[in-house]
């Protein structure tokens, strides 16, 4: 069971940027359950078609439904990283999909 949980992807992160000169469609990232704190999730600025300076100037921020910050956005580099160890069972219980 543990090996199967590790093989599954834990979280799908969707970045929605409805900004001029940015991509119109959602950007999706997947994160492995055992990802270490500080692990790179994605290059958000680059993937959105923006420079890190443009992302910062637009005051990009992360918002989560549960108020917990599982990820961190480095505005200087435009990178999205894991803020702390992710635990699938804690986040999604026994659900087959976890988003």
């Amino acid at each position: 069971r543990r090996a199967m949980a590790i093989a599954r992807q834990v979280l799908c992160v969707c970045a929605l940027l409805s900004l001029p000169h940015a991509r119109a469609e959602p950007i999706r990232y997947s994160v492995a359950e055992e990802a270490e704190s500080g692990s790179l999730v994605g290059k958000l600025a680059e993937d959105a078609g923006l420079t890190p300076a443009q992302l910062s100037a637009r005051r990009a921020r992360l918002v989560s439904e549960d108020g917990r910050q599982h990820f961190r956005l480095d505005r200087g580099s435009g990178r999205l990283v894991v803020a702390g160890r992710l635990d699938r069972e804690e986040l999604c219980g026994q659900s087959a999909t976890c988003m």
Side-chain angles (χ1 to χ4, degrees):
R1 175 184 144 131
R2 180 92 173 129
M4 190 164 79
I6 291 173
R8 286 190 208 156
Q9 293 179 331
V10 152
L11 208 45
C12 177
V13 182
C14 295
L16 301 172
L17 297 173
S18 57
L19 304 170
H21 311 293
R23 290 174 44 150
E25 66 273 4
I27 301 167
R28 298 182 188 275
Y29 299 110
S30 295
V31 181
E33 178 175 352
E34 299 295 327
E36 297 285 328
S37 179
S39 296
L40 177 67
V41 175
K43 298 176 182 179
L44 185 58
E46 181 179 316
D47 295 341
L50 301 169
T51 66
Q54 289 171 316
L55 194 68
S56 183
R58 287 171 163 81
R59 294 180 283 170
R61 66 186 191 285
L62 301 177
V63 179
S64 66
E65 289 181 8
D66 65 5
R68 295 184 292 178
Q69 292 298 318
H70 302 289
F71 304 96
R72 186 175 67 247
L73 176 60
D74 179 348
R75 288 194 209 165
S77 69
R79 293 175 176 229
L80 183 65
V81 298
V82 175
R85 185 183 169 278
L86 301 174
D87 184 328
R88 184 184 194 289
E89 283 80 20
E90 179 185 329
L91 293 169
C92 301
Q94 297 302 314
S95 176
T97 59
C98 185
M99 295 181 69

